[in-house]
Each structure stands twice: as structure tokens, then as C-alpha cells.
Amino acid sequence: TANILLKTDTPPDAILALTFTESAAYSMRRRLLEIIGSLAYRVNIHTFHGFANEIIQTYPDRFPEIMGATHIGQVEQIKIFQKIIEETALNKLKPYGNPFYYLQSLMKAISQLKREDIGHIHYQKLKDKEEKETELALIYSLYEERLRRERLYDYDDMIMEMIKTLRQDKDFLLNLQENFHYILADE
């Protein structure tokens, strides 16, 4: 980033640096400050999710499926999953004596499906699923339905909605590409 600014006429706000954690973003900005001074404050340094959420908040009309929705954190997400598990008849994923035993693995599996761009409708249509996978498909579907009904979106939806919008809306993609001449991704 410092080399780009020192060796080109690129304005600092035309650089986007993305990383995975807030601490890494802070560290990146601190190191950049040491090298180039106060110009570092004009460089866009974000986490991947933070950048996606900023774009969603800045251009809400580009994200009609989550426009006006509220981002939920892990605590709210856990509460929604617990309610779904309580209300749903399940044989494999709701063991007697500890109905929330699979809660974390369910959340992880659904997060992984979202990250692989496998929506709940597509996952439900997949054939040759074992009973656990069939129940996972049901929970995934109920979870997505609840998010939409209550106008909420989760951590993974930020990235997925951003990807979907950029794939479908080429003008918006070009607009962002014009704003950010350099995109630097951590790892």
C-alpha cells in the first residue's frame, strides 16, 4: 500500500485493503501510519465483512433482499436456532436430554453451506441425504425463513449478498471498480 502511494499518483481513498480480523486491520493502519503518516487514515482498510456491511449500508437499494434489515450477531443467531430446534420435531439433531447438543455444529454447517454459495432451497433439493442431512436442510430452511420474516441478516449473508449483487449488477461492480483502483486482500 505504501509503495502504491509513494510510486504512483493513486489517491489514498482509491486503495482498498481487506483482512480477516479487526486487530489485523488496526495493525495494518498503524504500520501504514508509521510509513506514510496521516495519509494512512484515507486508505480504506476493512475486514471483509466490515467492508461488505459498509457497502450494504451505503447502497441499500442495491441489496433489495436485505434492504432495511438488521444485522444480527452470534448471540441473536443462537437464540433463533434454539427457538427453531425447540419448535421443530427432529429425530437425529435433537437428542433427548440435551436438545441443543448439535447447536454449534448446525450453525457451523449452515455457515459453511452459505460460504459455498449453497442456498437453503438448493440444499433441500439435493438427493440421497441421510436423515441428519434432511433435518439440517429443514433447519436451514426454517432459519432463512425466520431471518427474512423478521428482516434480519447474519454474518455470512453480508458476504453472500455482496457477491450476488456484484454478479448480477455489472454497473454497480464497475462503479466500485472505478472507486478502488487497487484491492489488496490479506492472505
Side-chain angles (χ1 to χ4, degrees):
T1 303
N3 276 332
I4 292 168
L5 291 171
L6 295 172
K7 295 180 180 181
T8 71
D9 61 350
T10 303
D13 58 352
I15 297 174
L16 172 62
L18 298 170
T19 188
F20 290 97
T21 65
E22 290 292 337
S23 63
Y26 171 78
S27 177
M28 200 180 299
R29 178 143 354 252
R30 186 177 41 78
R31 284 181 301 195
L32 196 55
L33 265 167
E34 292 170 3
I35 299 169
I36 64 167
S38 64
L39 280 180
Y41 290 114
R42 293 184 42 214
V43 175
N44 294 285
I45 301 174
H46 300 280
T47 63
F48 290 95
H49 288 89
F51 175 69
N53 200 41
E54 182 176 304
I55 296 298
I56 290 167
Q57 298 302 317
T58 305
Y59 304 97
D61 56 319
R62 302 284 186 166
F63 302 91
E65 288 189 34
I66 59 173
M67 188 162 92
T70 304
H71 170 254
I72 59 168
Q74 191 174 23
V75 172
E76 295 92 350
Q77 193 177 21
I78 289 170
K79 288 178 183 177
I80 291 171
F81 274 103
Q82 286 175 332
K83 190 105 170 118
I84 289 169
I85 291 169
E86 285 173 351
E87 296 171 350
T88 308
L90 304 166
N91 294 322
K92 297 288 185 184
L93 296 177
K94 187 175 169 181
Y96 180 77
N98 189 358
F100 304 124
Y101 180 79
Y102 291 109
L103 178 69
Q104 289 299 321
S105 47
L106 285 169
M107 290 175 63
K108 186 176 179 180
I110 290 170
S111 176
Q112 187 64 37
L113 287 167
K114 285 185 175 192
R115 290 175 186 194
E116 292 176 10
D117 202 15
I118 301 172
H120 66 99
I121 295 169
H122 177 71
Y123 187 67
Q124 206 145 29
K125 290 178 182 178
L126 294 177
K127 295 182 181 1
D128 301 328
K129 290 192 296 266
E130 294 180 17
E131 189 173 4
K132 271 188 175 181
E133 292 167 321
T134 301
E135 289 183 359
L136 173 63
L138 174 62
I139 291 169
Y140 187 9
S141 182
L142 292 170
Y143 174 66
E144 288 298 302
E145 180 182 307
R146 179 131 336 150
L147 289 180
R148 298 300 169 246
R149 185 175 65 238
E150 296 179 18
R151 303 293 303 145
L152 303 169
Y153 63 97
D154 67 21
Y155 200 64
D156 294 313
D157 290 333
M158 282 185 221
I159 300 289
M160 299 317 301
E161 287 296 319
M162 180 82 159
I163 290 169
K164 185 172 75 175
T165 298
L166 293 177
R167 280 182 185 154
Q168 294 172 352
D169 190 341
K170 297 303 179 196
D171 289 337
F172 185 52
L173 174 62
L174 290 171
N175 185 19
L176 288 179
Q177 288 173 335
E178 284 179 16
N179 290 339
F180 301 111
H181 303 173
Y182 291 90
I183 300 174
L184 308 162
D186 191 9
E187 296 180 34

